Amino acid sequence: MNRYQLCGRVLLLGGLTVQTAFGQTGTVNARMDKTAESLEKKVVAWRRDLHQHPELGNREFQTAAKIAAHLQSLGMEVKTGVGKTGVVGLLKGGKPGPVVALRADMDGLPVTERVDLPFKSDARTEYNGQQTGVMHACGHDTHVAMLMGAAEVLASVRNDLRGTVKFIFQPAEEGAPAGEEGGAYLMIKEGVLENPKVDAIFGLHINSQTEVGTIKYRPGATMAAVDEYAIKIKGKQTHGAAPWSGVDPIVTAAQVVMGLQTIVSRNLTLTDNAAVVTVGALHSGIRQNIIPEDANMIGTIRTFSPEAQQLVHRRINEIATNIAESAGAKADVKINVMYPVTYNDPKLTDQMAPTLEALAGKNNVKLTPAQTGAEDFSFFQQKVPGFFYFLGGMTKGKKVEEAAPHHTPDFQIDESCFVLGMKSLCHLTVDYMELANKGVAVKELTASGK
Ligand SMILES: [Zn+2]
Ligand SMILES: [Zn+2]
């Protein structure tokens, strides 16, 4: 039995203490917990079905149909085809209050599953011209199943809800296919945060290398902004035996690669935030005795603040352009801005962390270092206060080194984490509504990672 069951709950709100009576939020949370526990088998079955039938970004047709049917069966107002295949359900509570959005992403990845499971995916497709398996190798199947469960739980207490819940099932978190728009960005563009206007948004990500029962989060910059770049070095082709009669793009590219290393090591304020500049591919030449005309490189940039992002962009341009010029070559630099920083509104995070602590136990809710992976939940957080956290999905006692990371063929999730995941979404929703009812909930961005 935890402290909350014994005596209700105390929220510390930046000096302001709010006693939540056991008779109000407490009983709603307790009723929701029972329902969540009773739904466990159903949620596991949904997840296994989704796992066995994964779909790539912007192609989540069957997934969306299953979600829409479920939300409709709960008597919700349901919109489909939002941002291509997105599904949005609206649950109006019995009492007036804020609009809380809960988000789950739906897409699988071009990865061939290697785990031996009865519900292993045999799906195959062509991706970027290659034949590949399709797999829920990031656990988005678990996100969908848990949010479908949370929808059923919250619908069961709808008369007691002090506000509205918007369930956002989002396509293409991992990126839309080439030439297509998609993901959170497109859903927002199509108005998902309006009508009714969302006051705050919550989302979780399963983690294959964090033990079941543990929740991790970080206030402020949590996951990196990601941008990609391409640099083309144009030299002058010549015979490999007479380099003096040409301009060697390979030697120039090598100098650029080394120059790029100095951005993080010499230019960034490393005590503020980490950053990464990676060269992911470098192609040039065809034969041992030809100095080719050009060299091409591509890479990824990860930063945690707009200042760092701007600095890295500027330095990539300066380094590539000036090194090329010093060699008599020319550099063409293109930078494609992709996902912003996943930025947990600090005040909202402060307000909601006690909810997770009351639910999972204080020792099981931990601060996590910033992660250099990216997440397009960040687009929602640019518009409304948002809180994104990580749910442990690794079997207790397993060694982290033995648990396969996300995006790999051996990726696996322990389903015993689903009940905690469902409860966390439901408690955040109800507790946020309670705070709004008391007039203290964060409804506008208090800072942003823009
Ligand atoms: Zn992923
Ligand atoms: Zn993911």
Side-chain angles (χ1 to χ4, degrees), residues 211-257:
E211 276 192 352
V212 170
T214 302
I215 291 176
K216 289 184 173 173
Y217 76 98
R218 181 177 185 80
T222 298
M223 296 180 81
V226 57
D227 305 312
E228 57 185 22
Y229 68 89
I231 302 172
K232 186 186 184 86
I233 309 279
K234 196 152 186 285
K236 188 174 171 225
Q237 187 154 337
T238 188
H239 197 296
W244 49 85
S245 60
V247 175
D248 189 339
I250 294 180
V251 170
T252 311
Q255 288 178 306
V256 171
V257 170

Coordinates of all heavy atoms in Angstrom, one line a residue, residues 211-257:
E211 N 14.0 -1.1 -16.5 CA 13.2 -2.1 -15.9 C 11.7 -1.8 -15.8 O 11.4 -0.6 -15.5 CB 13.7 -2.4 -14.5 CG 14.9 -3.4 -14.5 CD 15.2 -3.9 -13.0 OE1 14.6 -3.4 -12.1 OE2 16.0 -4.8 -12.9
V212 N 10.9 -2.8 -15.9 CA 9.5 -2.6 -15.7 C 9.3 -2.1 -14.3 O 9.9 -2.5 -13.3 CB 8.8 -4.0 -15.8 CG1 7.3 -3.9 -15.3 CG2 8.8 -4.5 -17.2
G213 N 8.4 -1.1 -14.1 CA 8.1 -0.5 -12.8 C 8.8 0.8 -12.7 O 8.4 1.6 -11.8
T214 N 9.8 1.1 -13.5 CA 10.5 2.4 -13.5 C 10.0 3.3 -14.5 O 9.6 3.0 -15.6 CB 12.0 2.1 -13.7 OG1 12.5 1.2 -12.8 CG2 12.8 3.4 -13.6
I215 N 9.9 4.6 -14.1 CA 9.5 5.7 -15.0 C 10.6 6.7 -15.0 O 11.2 7.0 -13.9 CB 8.2 6.3 -14.6 CG1 7.0 5.4 -14.8 CG2 7.9 7.6 -15.4 CD1 5.7 5.9 -14.4
K216 N 11.1 7.2 -16.1 CA 12.1 8.2 -16.2 C 11.6 9.4 -16.9 O 10.8 9.3 -17.8 CB 13.3 7.6 -16.9 CG 14.1 6.5 -16.1 CD 15.3 6.1 -16.9 CE 16.1 5.1 -16.0 NZ 17.2 4.6 -16.8
Y217 N 12.2 10.6 -16.5 CA 11.8 11.8 -17.1 C 12.9 12.8 -16.9 O 13.8 12.6 -16.1 CB 10.4 12.3 -16.6 CG 10.5 13.0 -15.2 CD1 10.6 14.4 -15.1 CD2 10.6 12.2 -14.1 CE1 10.8 15.0 -13.9 CE2 10.7 12.8 -12.8 CZ 10.8 14.2 -12.7 OH 11.0 14.7 -11.5
R218 N 12.7 13.9 -17.6 CA 13.7 15.0 -17.5 C 12.9 16.4 -17.7 O 12.2 16.5 -18.7 CB 14.8 14.9 -18.5 CG 15.9 15.9 -18.4 CD 17.0 15.7 -19.4 NE 18.0 16.6 -19.2 CZ 18.9 16.6 -18.2 NH1 19.0 15.6 -17.4 NH2 19.9 17.5 -18.1
P219 N 13.1 17.4 -16.9 CA 12.5 18.7 -17.2 C 13.3 19.4 -18.3 O 14.5 19.1 -18.4 CB 12.6 19.5 -15.9 CG 13.3 18.6 -14.9 CD 13.8 17.4 -15.6
G220 N 12.7 20.2 -19.1 CA 13.4 20.9 -20.1 C 13.8 20.0 -21.3 O 13.1 19.1 -21.6
A221 N 15.0 20.3 -21.9 CA 15.4 19.6 -23.1 C 15.7 18.1 -22.7 O 16.6 17.8 -21.9 CB 16.7 20.2 -23.6
T222 N 14.9 17.2 -23.3 CA 14.9 15.8 -23.0 C 15.5 15.0 -24.1 O 16.3 14.1 -23.9 CB 13.5 15.3 -22.6 OG1 13.0 16.1 -21.5 CG2 13.4 13.9 -22.4
M223 N 15.0 15.2 -25.3 CA 15.6 14.6 -26.5 C 16.0 15.6 -27.5 O 15.5 16.7 -27.5 CB 14.5 13.6 -27.1 CG 14.2 12.5 -26.1 SD 12.9 11.4 -26.8 CE 13.9 10.3 -27.8
A224 N 17.0 15.3 -28.3 CA 17.7 16.3 -29.1 C 16.8 16.7 -30.3 O 15.9 16.1 -30.8 CB 19.0 15.7 -29.6
A225 N 17.2 17.9 -30.8 CA 16.7 18.4 -32.1 C 17.6 17.7 -33.1 O 18.8 17.4 -32.9 CB 16.9 19.9 -32.2
V226 N 17.0 17.3 -34.2 CA 17.7 16.6 -35.2 C 17.6 17.3 -36.6 O 16.6 17.8 -36.9 CB 17.3 15.1 -35.4 CG1 15.8 15.0 -35.7 CG2 18.1 14.4 -36.5
D227 N 18.8 17.5 -37.2 CA 18.9 18.1 -38.5 C 19.8 17.2 -39.4 O 20.7 16.5 -38.8 CB 19.5 19.5 -38.5 CG 18.7 20.4 -37.5 OD1 17.5 20.4 -37.6 OD2 19.3 21.1 -36.7
E228 N 19.6 17.2 -40.7 CA 20.6 16.5 -41.5 C 21.3 17.4 -42.5 O 20.7 18.5 -42.8 CB 19.8 15.3 -42.3 CG 18.7 15.9 -43.1 CD 17.9 14.8 -43.8 OE1 17.9 13.6 -43.3 OE2 17.2 15.1 -44.8
Y229 N 22.5 17.1 -42.9 CA 23.2 17.9 -43.8 C 23.8 17.1 -44.9 O 24.0 15.9 -44.8 CB 24.2 18.7 -43.0 CG 25.4 17.9 -42.5 CD1 26.5 17.7 -43.3 CD2 25.3 17.4 -41.2 CE1 27.6 16.9 -42.8 CE2 26.4 16.6 -40.7 CZ 27.5 16.4 -41.5 OH 28.5 15.6 -41.1
A230 N 24.1 17.8 -46.0 CA 24.8 17.2 -47.1 C 25.8 18.2 -47.6 O 25.5 19.4 -47.7 CB 23.8 16.9 -48.2
I231 N 27.1 17.7 -47.8 CA 28.1 18.6 -48.3 C 28.7 18.0 -49.6 O 29.0 16.8 -49.6 CB 29.3 18.8 -47.3 CG1 28.7 19.3 -46.0 CG2 30.4 19.7 -47.8 CD1 29.7 19.4 -44.8
K232 N 28.7 18.9 -50.6 CA 29.3 18.4 -51.9 C 30.6 19.2 -52.1 O 30.5 20.5 -52.2 CB 28.3 18.7 -53.0 CG 28.8 18.1 -54.4 CD 27.8 18.5 -55.5 CE 28.1 17.9 -56.8 NZ 27.5 16.6 -57.0
I233 N 31.7 18.6 -52.2 CA 33.0 19.2 -52.5 C 33.3 19.1 -54.0 O 33.4 17.9 -54.4 CB 34.2 18.6 -51.7 CG1 33.8 18.5 -50.2 CG2 35.5 19.4 -51.9 CD1 34.0 19.7 -49.4
K234 N 33.4 20.2 -54.6 CA 33.7 20.1 -56.1 C 35.2 20.5 -56.3 O 35.6 21.6 -56.0 CB 32.8 21.0 -56.8 CG 32.7 20.7 -58.3 CD 31.4 21.1 -58.9 CE 31.3 20.7 -60.4 NZ 32.1 21.5 -61.3
G235 N 36.0 19.6 -56.9 CA 37.4 19.8 -57.2 C 37.5 19.9 -58.7 O 36.7 20.3 -59.4
K236 N 38.7 19.4 -59.1 CA 39.0 19.3 -60.6 C 39.6 18.0 -60.9 O 40.6 17.6 -60.3 CB 39.9 20.5 -61.0 CG 40.1 20.6 -62.5 CD 40.9 21.8 -62.8 CE 41.3 21.8 -64.3 NZ 42.6 22.2 -64.5
Q237 N 39.0 17.2 -61.7 CA 39.4 15.9 -62.0 C 40.7 15.9 -62.8 O 41.0 16.7 -63.6 CB 38.3 15.1 -62.8 CG 38.6 13.7 -63.0 CD 37.4 12.9 -63.2 OE1 36.3 13.3 -62.8 NE2 37.5 11.7 -63.8
T238 N 41.5 14.9 -62.4 CA 42.8 14.7 -63.1 C 43.4 13.3 -63.0 O 42.8 12.5 -62.3 CB 43.8 15.8 -62.5 OG1 45.0 15.7 -63.4 CG2 44.2 15.5 -61.1
H239 N 44.5 13.1 -63.6 CA 45.2 11.8 -63.5 C 45.7 11.6 -62.1 O 46.3 12.5 -61.6 CB 46.3 11.7 -64.6 CG 46.7 10.3 -64.8 ND1 47.3 9.5 -63.9 CD2 46.7 9.5 -66.0 CE1 47.6 8.3 -64.4 NE2 47.2 8.3 -65.7
G240 N 45.6 10.4 -61.6 CA 46.0 10.1 -60.2 C 47.6 10.3 -60.1 O 48.1 10.4 -59.0
A241 N 48.3 10.2 -61.2 CA 49.7 10.3 -61.2 C 50.2 11.8 -61.2 O 51.4 12.1 -61.1 CB 50.3 9.6 -62.4
A242 N 49.2 12.7 -61.5 CA 49.6 14.1 -61.6 C 48.7 15.0 -60.8 O 47.9 15.8 -61.4 CB 49.6 14.6 -63.1
P243 N 48.6 14.9 -59.5 CA 47.7 15.6 -58.7 C 47.8 17.1 -58.8 O 46.8 17.9 -58.6 CB 48.0 15.2 -57.2 CG 49.3 14.5 -57.3 CD 49.5 14.0 -58.7
W244 N 49.0 17.6 -59.1 CA 49.2 19.1 -59.3 C 48.4 19.7 -60.4 O 48.2 20.9 -60.4 CB 50.7 19.4 -59.4 CG 51.3 18.5 -60.5 CD1 51.4 18.8 -61.8 CD2 52.0 17.3 -60.3 NE1 52.0 17.8 -62.5 CE2 52.4 16.8 -61.6 CE3 52.3 16.5 -59.2 CZ2 53.1 15.6 -61.8 CZ3 53.0 15.3 -59.4 CH2 53.4 14.9 -60.7
S245 N 47.9 18.9 -61.3 CA 47.1 19.5 -62.4 C 45.6 19.5 -62.1 O 44.8 19.8 -63.0 CB 47.5 18.8 -63.7 OG 47.1 17.4 -63.6
G246 N 45.2 19.1 -60.9 CA 43.8 19.1 -60.6 C 43.6 19.7 -59.2 O 44.5 20.3 -58.6
V247 N 42.3 19.5 -58.7 CA 42.0 19.9 -57.3 C 41.4 18.7 -56.7 O 40.4 18.2 -57.1 CB 41.1 21.1 -57.2 CG1 40.7 21.4 -55.8 CG2 41.7 22.3 -57.8
D248 N 42.1 18.1 -55.7 CA 41.6 16.8 -55.1 C 40.5 17.0 -54.1 O 40.7 17.5 -53.0 CB 42.9 16.1 -54.4 CG 42.6 14.7 -54.1 OD1 41.4 14.4 -53.9 OD2 43.5 13.9 -53.9
P249 N 39.3 16.5 -54.5 CA 38.2 16.7 -53.5 C 38.2 15.7 -52.4 O 37.6 15.9 -51.3 CB 37.0 16.4 -54.4 CG 37.5 15.4 -55.5 CD 38.9 15.8 -55.7
I250 N 39.0 14.6 -52.5 CA 39.1 13.6 -51.5 C 39.9 14.1 -50.3 O 39.5 14.1 -49.1 CB 39.6 12.2 -52.0 CG1 38.7 11.6 -53.0 CG2 39.9 11.3 -50.8 CD1 39.1 10.3 -53.6
V251 N 41.1 14.7 -50.6 CA 41.9 15.3 -49.6 C 41.2 16.4 -48.9 O 41.2 16.6 -47.7 CB 43.3 15.7 -50.1 CG1 44.0 16.6 -49.1 CG2 44.1 14.5 -50.6
T252 N 40.4 17.2 -49.7 CA 39.7 18.3 -49.2 C 38.6 17.8 -48.3 O 38.4 18.3 -47.1 CB 39.1 19.2 -50.3 OG1 40.1 19.4 -51.3 CG2 38.5 20.5 -49.8
A253 N 37.9 16.8 -48.7 CA 36.8 16.2 -47.9 C 37.3 15.7 -46.6 O 36.7 15.8 -45.5 CB 36.0 15.1 -48.7
A254 N 38.5 15.1 -46.6 CA 39.1 14.5 -45.4 C 39.4 15.7 -44.4 O 39.1 15.5 -43.2 CB 40.4 13.8 -45.7
Q255 N 39.8 16.8 -44.9 CA 40.1 18.0 -44.0 C 38.8 18.5 -43.5 O 38.7 18.9 -42.3 CB 40.8 19.1 -44.8 CG 42.2 18.7 -45.1 CD 42.9 19.8 -45.9 OE1 42.4 20.2 -47.0 NE2 44.0 20.3 -45.4
V256 N 37.7 18.5 -44.3 CA 36.4 18.9 -43.8 C 35.9 18.0 -42.7 O 35.4 18.5 -41.7 CB 35.4 19.0 -45.0 CG1 34.0 19.3 -44.4 CG2 35.8 20.1 -46.0
V257 N 36.1 16.7 -42.9 CA 35.6 15.7 -41.9 C 36.3 16.1 -40.5 O 35.7 16.1 -39.5 CB 35.9 14.3 -42.3 CG1 35.7 13.3 -41.1 CG2 35.1 13.9 -43.5

